[in-house]
Amino acid sequence: MINFNAPSDYPLIGKQLVQVNRVINQRINTRYPELQDALRTMASHGGKYIRPTIVLLMARIIDPSLKNERLIKVAASIEILHMASLIHDDVIDDSPKRRGAVSIQSRFGKDIAVYSGDLLFTVFFDLLTETAADRASFQRNAHAMRHVLNGELGQMAERFDIHQGLTNYLRNVNGKTATLFWLAAGEGARLAGATNRQIFCARSFGRNIGISFQMLDDLLDYSSGDSLNKPVMEDLSTGVYSLPLLLALQHADAAKKLKPLLAKKRQLTADDMVTIQQIVKASGALQEAEQLATKFTNKALQRLHELPAGPTRKLIHELTISMLHRNK
């Protein structure tokens, strides 16, 4: 089973998350041993189940009594889509680690990793076929997949581009990260019978919290501990410039020091990367990144507070605030 603490972490929906977990494990079966091993390994690494949690909590905030198989399958499908995108991302980035463990592509090879991601996409479509009530449901999910891909393509197109700026960063994050939060929140509310306005608020909450989530990940990669984290080293070596670095480049003094180092591209040494981290920290970019993440978190909370009050909304509020203070 996937390693997570649903009942204790989210007591309001713990039993439902266990059901989501069960559906995922049932659906990732295949008769090909290597592929099965890879999928089980990916599952056993233990995701945080943030997206299924949002599906279930948004449904509960609208209808606390709603408990059905369709809701569970939708929550599982979004997590499976997320898992597939992670595996493919690791192949593209040649990442040796995922969630603190050896990545699928590093352990099993790129062929098995690609096939694993592809199989998860087919599982996602199977679940979508079982749960979609109409053509609009398919369109929403197709829309989400396209935006995730566009975000990834945008990030790829801007590798090593020191002039990409905050606008391009936000566009890419809005696609590759925030879209699945948008989908999760909106589908949860919709399945619970929310009004059009409530669905809009749920989706807006999801999108803004997704953007904030990515910004905080970027920030923590630079600010956690004294040594440079592996995600920063991997991003720098592959030309993926995260929020703190992009903000530091907007400061003339920092940019003057950073540009000669970044011009080395894939020839950056470990010492170069440490120097880049020090320049970014000294520029004040980490504080700016935190302020920007807080701005999007507050936008999310504004929309959340338009939804029905009660224990579920309070829990979502607390989870949202806790994101601002989480540690690696």
Side-chain angles (χ1 to χ4, degrees):
M1 297 293 284
I2 294 174
N3 177 27
F4 75 116
N5 299 312
S8 58
D9 289 348
Y10 311 109
L12 287 179
I13 56 167
K15 291 181 179 179
Q16 289 176 290
L17 279 174
V18 170
Q19 292 177 298
V20 171
N21 176 270
R22 187 176 299 119
V23 168
I24 292 174
N25 276 273
Q26 289 170 346
R27 295 305 181 103
I28 62 174
N29 285 315
T30 174
R31 61 191 177 92
Y32 301 102
E34 278 192 287
L35 209 55
Q36 186 69 77
D37 287 347
L39 290 169
R40 291 296 178 192
T41 298
M42 177 66 179
S44 66
H45 287 175
K48 298 174 183 175
Y49 270 38
I50 294 173
R51 293 151 195 83
T53 295
I54 290 175
V55 173
L56 298 174
L57 287 177
M58 276 298 169
R60 185 180 175 86
I61 205 173
I62 301 298
D63 181 0
S65 65
L66 180 66
K67 295 177 183 178
N68 60 37
E69 184 181 9
R70 188 177 172 202
L71 181 67
I72 298 301
K73 286 184 175 180
V74 167
S77 73
I78 294 175
E79 182 67 10
I80 286 170
L81 179 57
H82 173 57
M83 290 168 62
S85 68
L86 292 182
I87 292 176
H88 281 179
D89 284 353
D90 286 345
V91 173
I92 293 167
D93 296 337
D94 200 23
S95 297
K97 295 268 185 139
R98 167 63 61 183
R99 292 171 177 165
V102 177
S103 66
I104 297 303
Q105 67 93 19
S106 184
R107 177 170 175 177
F108 295 93
K110 292 185 183 296
D111 289 354
I112 293 297
V114 170
Y115 288 134
S116 296
D118 290 347
L119 189 143
L120 288 174
F121 280 125
T122 68
V123 174
F124 164 74
F125 283 117
D126 284 342
L127 287 168
L128 178 59
T129 301
E130 294 171 22
T131 57
D134 49 32
R135 181 179 178 182
S137 297
F138 284 99
Q139 289 176 328
R140 280 190 301 274
N141 282 272
H143 169 90
M145 289 190 68
R146 183 169 61 251
H147 275 264
V148 170
L149 176 59
N150 284 338
E152 295 289 353
L153 290 174
Q155 180 176 280
M156 179 187 70
E158 287 153 7
R159 289 179 186 268
F160 299 108
D161 182 3
I162 63 173
H163 302 295
Q164 61 184 274
L166 189 58
T167 299
N168 288 356
Y169 168 85
L170 287 171
R171 182 179 64 240
N172 295 337
V173 168
N174 187 43
K176 72 187 187 73
T177 304
T179 292
L180 290 187
F181 285 80
W182 172 90
L183 182 65
E187 292 302 273
R190 186 183 63 80
L191 287 170
T195 65
N196 288 338
R197 178 63 188 179
Q198 288 172 332
I199 293 172
F200 168 82
C201 290
R203 288 172 175 167
S204 181
F205 167 84
R207 187 175 301 284
N208 282 293
I209 206 63
I211 293 172
S212 175
F213 186 86
Q214 183 61 59
M215 288 179 169
L216 289 165
D217 264 5
D218 289 355
L219 172 63
L220 289 169
D221 283 343
Y222 272 89
S223 62
S224 180
D226 296 326
S227 60
L228 192 63
N229 283 355
K230 277 186 170 57
V232 182
M233 297 177 71
E234 291 169 14
D235 285 349
L236 287 172
S237 64
T238 57
V240 176
Y241 298 156
S242 60
L243 181 61
L245 179 58
L246 293 175
L247 291 174
L249 283 166
Q250 294 182 0
H251 296 268
D253 291 344
K256 186 177 180 179
K257 299 173 185 175
L258 288 168
K259 287 179 180 179
L261 293 167
L262 296 175
K264 295 182 179 183
K265 297 185 177 180
R266 296 186 187 274
Q267 275 64 57
L268 277 171
T269 66
D271 287 342
D272 290 334
M273 294 180 189
V274 171
T275 301
I276 289 172
Q277 182 194 35
Q278 292 169 345
I279 295 169
V280 170
K281 284 186 172 182
S283 72
L286 301 188
Q287 291 77 13
E288 293 174 16
E290 184 174 10
Q291 290 170 2
L292 199 55
T294 301
K295 176 182 176 182
F296 280 94
T297 298
N298 288 337
K299 285 184 179 181
L301 291 174
Q302 287 174 3
R303 294 303 186 193
L304 175 65
H305 289 172
E306 292 188 48
L307 297 174
T312 305
R313 194 179 80 178
K314 181 181 178 182
L315 175 59
I316 299 174
H317 181 101
E318 291 171 352
L319 291 173
T320 302
I321 293 298
S322 71
M323 284 177 53
L324 286 172
H325 306 290
R326 76 186 191 274
N327 296 312
K328 282 289 185 184

